[in-house]
């Protein structure tokens, strides 16, 4: 929500049907303390018969004290039933943690999230860890990407918004970089499905973004994507947000007018994804 004050769920039998579905508010921010401001980046996951929503929030008294939190709901339908606050997902860094996403590979569940990077220069980086439960992280937590290329440091030095897709024997992680204006772009990490995901050296990063501002189609600053499949159950679809205008006065985080878009993700012969930068949305 543009107000950054609640979490809503929409449901539909089709991807395109989401845009016309009625939003159902399942949780509201607190008036005091933790989870009181800046309700950001919710993700809905089904884990072992229970729904979980991972999200980021500041405190009512300090909106930039951003941390990761979780809600759970045992109902079969996430739009009904009771959502329980599971509390904070605590990282070792525990400095500015947000944008949690989770996935399972070969029976082990992992989380990738954003936190302050290890360098002295202020930045946000991507961390990965095994999960010992749907709401707790194992102690080994490593950085797999931090801002290093020119397109990752425009406005702010940022790596955030990870989204995972396992295909063709590889684990792909799309992520977003730079400030959330027209500089915002999507980059790509990958590693072999059989590699050690907790070894930073096993991860590769493309030196250029894979999806970025396209003025021809009025798509400015596309980012913080996720992946789903089309109604055929096999065609990969990328969901992302972007602005339809370029000019922003002041800090772009205070301009919430980002709209959701969807496009088909295509695949190249070498097994790498093609984001179709020069194509309009399907």
């Amino acid at each position: 929500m543009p107000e950054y004050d609640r979490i809503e769920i929409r449901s539909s039998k089709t991807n395109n049907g989401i845009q016309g579905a009625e939003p159902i508010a399942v949780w509201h921010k607190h008036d005091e303390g933790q989870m009181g401001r800046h309700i950001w980046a919710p993700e809905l996951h089904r884990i072992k018969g229970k729904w979980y929503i991972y999200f980021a929030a500041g405190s009512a008294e300090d909106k930039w004290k951003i941390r990761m939190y979780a809600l759970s709901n045992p109902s079969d339908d996430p739009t009904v039933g009771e959502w329980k606050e599971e509390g904070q997902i605590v990282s070792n860094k525990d400095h500015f943690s947000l944008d949690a996403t989770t996935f399972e590979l070969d029976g082990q569940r992992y989380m990738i999230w954003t936190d302050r990077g290890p360098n002295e220069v202020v930045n946000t980086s991507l961390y990965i860890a095994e999960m010992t439960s749907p709401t707790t992280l194992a102690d080994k937590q490593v950085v797999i990407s931090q801002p290093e290329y020119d397109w990752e440091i425009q406005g702010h030095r940022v790596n955030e918004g990870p989204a995972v897709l396992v295909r063709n024997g590889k684990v792909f992680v799309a992520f977003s970089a730079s400030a959330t204006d027209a500089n915002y772009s999507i980059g790509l990490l990958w590693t072999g499905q059989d590699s050690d995901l907790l070894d930073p050296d096993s991860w590769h990063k493309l030196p250029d973004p894979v999806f970025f501002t396209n003025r021809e189609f009025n798509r400015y600053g596309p980012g913080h994507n996720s992946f789903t499949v089309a109604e055929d159950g096999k065609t990969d679809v990328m969901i992302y947000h972007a602005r339809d205008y370029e000019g922003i006065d002041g800090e772009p985080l205070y301009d919430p007018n980002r709209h959701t878009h969807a496009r088909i993700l295509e695949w190249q012969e070498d097994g790498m994804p093609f984001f179709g930068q020069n194509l309009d949305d399907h």
Side-chain angles (χ1 to χ4, degrees), residues 18-275:
I18 289 291
Q19 62 184 331
E22 185 71 21
I24 298 174
V26 299
W27 183 86
H28 288 81
K29 72 176 181 66
H30 292 187
D31 293 330
E32 298 178 343
Q34 291 182 325
M35 299 179 279
R37 295 282 294 277
H38 278 171
I39 310 305
W40 288 351
E43 285 200 4
L44 178 67
H45 292 269
R46 184 74 164 170
I47 302 174
K48 295 182 177 179
K50 184 181 288 190
W51 292 103
Y52 289 87
I53 294 176
Y54 300 100
F55 66 102
S59 74
E61 296 76 24
D62 182 358
K63 63 185 179 182
W64 295 112
K65 190 177 180 181
I66 305 291
R67 299 293 188 272
M68 303 180 292
Y69 299 92
L71 309 172
S72 68
N73 186 347
S75 174
D76 289 337
D77 181 349
T79 64
V80 300
E82 180 180 353
W83 282 94
K84 174 188 175 183
E85 294 180 359
E86 295 285 354
Q88 182 184 342
I89 298 178
V90 181
S91 68
N92 291 341
K93 191 76 172 181
D94 193 31
H95 188 179
F96 186 74
S97 54
L98 67 159
D99 292 355
T101 194
T102 184
F103 67 101
E104 187 173 300
L105 183 66
D106 298 330
Q108 175 62 56
R109 180 158 295 279
Y110 296 85
M111 178 167 280
I112 302 179
W113 73 97
T114 300
D115 212 323
R116 289 296 185 207
N119 291 345
E120 291 183 4
V121 177
V122 174
N123 71 84
T124 59
S125 301
L126 298 182
Y127 289 73
I128 189 172
E130 294 181 349
M131 302 190 77
T132 56
S133 81
T135 57
T136 54
L137 302 172
D139 190 58
K140 186 175 182 180
Q141 303 171 16
V142 299
V143 175
I144 58 174
S145 181
Q146 53 187 318
E148 56 185 308
Y149 296 111
D150 186 64
W151 59 273
E152 297 177 288
I153 61 174
Q154 298 302 307
H156 297 297
R157 306 177 74 91
V158 169
N159 278 183
E160 65 183 14
V164 178
L165 189 61
V166 181
R167 294 286 185 275
N168 305 326
K170 296 182 176 67
V171 179
F172 297 101
V173 179
F175 66 97
S176 299
S178 290
T180 57
D181 53 17
N183 291 304
Y184 211 43
S185 303
I186 295 176
L188 188 68
L189 303 168
W190 79 94
T191 188
Q193 189 171 336
D194 296 329
S195 67
D196 179 2
L197 273 59
L198 300 183
D199 178 3
D201 291 335
S202 72
W203 290 91
H204 311 277
K205 178 162 63 173
L206 290 179
D208 298 304
V210 294
F211 208 63
F212 45 89
T213 288
N214 190 326
R215 290 174 175 83
E216 182 180 354
F217 297 112
N218 290 325
R219 296 287 187 269
Y220 298 98
H224 206 149
N225 75 290
S226 60
F227 296 108
T228 186
V229 292
E231 286 69 38
D232 63 7
K234 59 183 181 180
T235 300
D236 291 306
V237 176
M238 178 178 71
I239 309 295
Y240 68 97
H241 63 58
R243 303 180 192 275
D244 57 11
Y245 57 89
E246 185 167 7
I248 296 175
D249 293 328
E251 169 56 55
L253 281 175
Y254 294 120
D255 185 327
N257 296 310
R258 290 181 276 178
H259 304 287
T260 305
H261 301 273
R263 66 171 306 104
I264 291 175
L265 186 68
E266 300 176 348
W267 293 93
Q268 303 175 112
E269 290 185 3
D270 62 359
M272 296 292 286
F274 176 62
F275 288 76

